[in-house]
Each structure stands twice: as C-alpha cells, then as structure tokens.
Amino acid sequence: MTEGVGLGPVRKVGFVLRQGSSEPVEVLKRLLTRARSLDMETFLDPAEVPELEDGVAPLEGNEAELDVLITLGGDGTLLRGARRVARCDVPVLGVNLGRLGFLTSVPAEEAEEALDGVVEGRCGLDSRTTLEAQVIRTHGDASEPLFALNDLVYHNAGVARVVHVDLRVGEGEEQEEMGSFSGDGVIV
C-alpha cells in the first residue's frame, strides 16, 4: 500500500453516515468492497448500519487508530465526523450525498475513485482550523471541551430566552476579553 499525501500508509478507514436514508448505505457497501480489495481494516458504528455483514470493527473507541475517516452525507455529516476525530488528527474525506455540499467535495459516484486517490497519494490535504471552546457558567461549572470546524453557536434553549455571555479568547495569561453580550445567542 502506498502512502497518501501527508498521511503515511493508509490501512484503516472509518465511516460515518447520514442518518435516515438508504443512499449512504449503498455507497458504504461499494466503499467497503473497495477497502477490502485493498486489504484495509474498516470501522463503523454498528447502530448506523445494523444489517452489515461481519468484518467491520466498531468505530467507537478506535477513532485514534484511523488513517482516514470518510463521511457519507452532507456538510452536517462531515461536521459530525470531524468532531469525532478532532483530538486524533485524523483527516476527513467528505462524500457528498446532500444538495449543496460546501465542505463535502466528492460526489457519490466518485467515492471509490476518491478512496483510491487517498491510498495512492493523489489527494492533497486541506488543513482547517478547529475551534475548541468551553462553557464556564457563573457558578464555576465548566463544560467538557467543545470542538467545531465551521462555527460554534451558543444559545439558551426555548423561545425568547435571552442569554448573557462574557466572551474570552485564548487560554491562561493569553486570554483576551472580547466583550459581553446579551441576546438570542452568540455565533463564533
């Protein structure tokens, strides 16, 4: 197996699918066939496609082992997949099964060719900045770190609920206050 551009050998591939449609399952079956022909290990959450045959390992807990994650859906699916591997530095390839696909670059009919391109090193990496945020409430409770690829939205649940936010950027001594806001929410 050859090395992908900036990836090293590509031997383990994970999949995340758009929910509620049969189209991702059909594309997934084609990609699994191709991956097996390339002697790749494949990973998927069993809950996403419970009827799949044996030979697919569970994705949960194995994200850091992946050489690439392939998402089958639209931009929302790509963002969900990117959050899963945000701490693992795993590249994400988005196969577009949606209508617009600003982030998902590969049409469904070219999915196998794209996998071949990753394995053969014909694909470049497009680095994206990942946002990491943490919500710290007035009484000091802090959320788990939150990761985002595009933007982060913080708002209060319910209709016509005002949220008050003191927004700071950075960590520790490098932290800079951006301002205080009251409104429906904040998009960063």
Side-chain angles (χ1 to χ4, degrees), residues 135 137 153-165 183-186:
V135 176
R137 293 180 173 71
V153 178
Y154 180 78
H155 65 91
N156 216 341
V159 179
R161 308 280 311 264
V162 174
V163 63
H164 303 283
V165 176
D184 295 333
V186 175

Side-chain angles (χ1 to χ4, degrees), residues 168-178:
R168 295 181 184 91
V169 175
E171 294 182 66
E173 299 289 321
E174 301 295 316
Q175 199 172 82
E176 181 179 339
E177 187 166 338
M178 301 305 292

Side-chain angles (χ1 to χ4, degrees), residues 124-174:
L125 289 175
D126 183 15
S127 295
R128 303 283 177 134
T129 301
T130 304
L131 298 171
E132 180 179 351
Q134 190 171 33
V135 176
I136 302 172
R137 293 180 173 71
T138 307
H139 47 69
D141 288 347
S143 72
E144 292 293 318
L146 307 167
F147 294 93
L149 190 60
N150 248 12
D151 54 28
L152 194 108
V153 178
Y154 180 78
H155 65 91
N156 216 341
V159 179
R161 308 280 311 264
V162 174
V163 63
H164 303 283
V165 176
D166 294 323
L167 183 62
R168 295 181 184 91
V169 175
E171 294 182 66
E173 299 289 321
E174 301 295 316

Side-chain angles (χ1 to χ4, degrees), residues 107-120:
E109 57 273 7
E110 297 176 18
E112 295 98 315
E113 183 180 330
L115 178 58
D116 290 343
V118 168
V119 170
E120 295 167 6

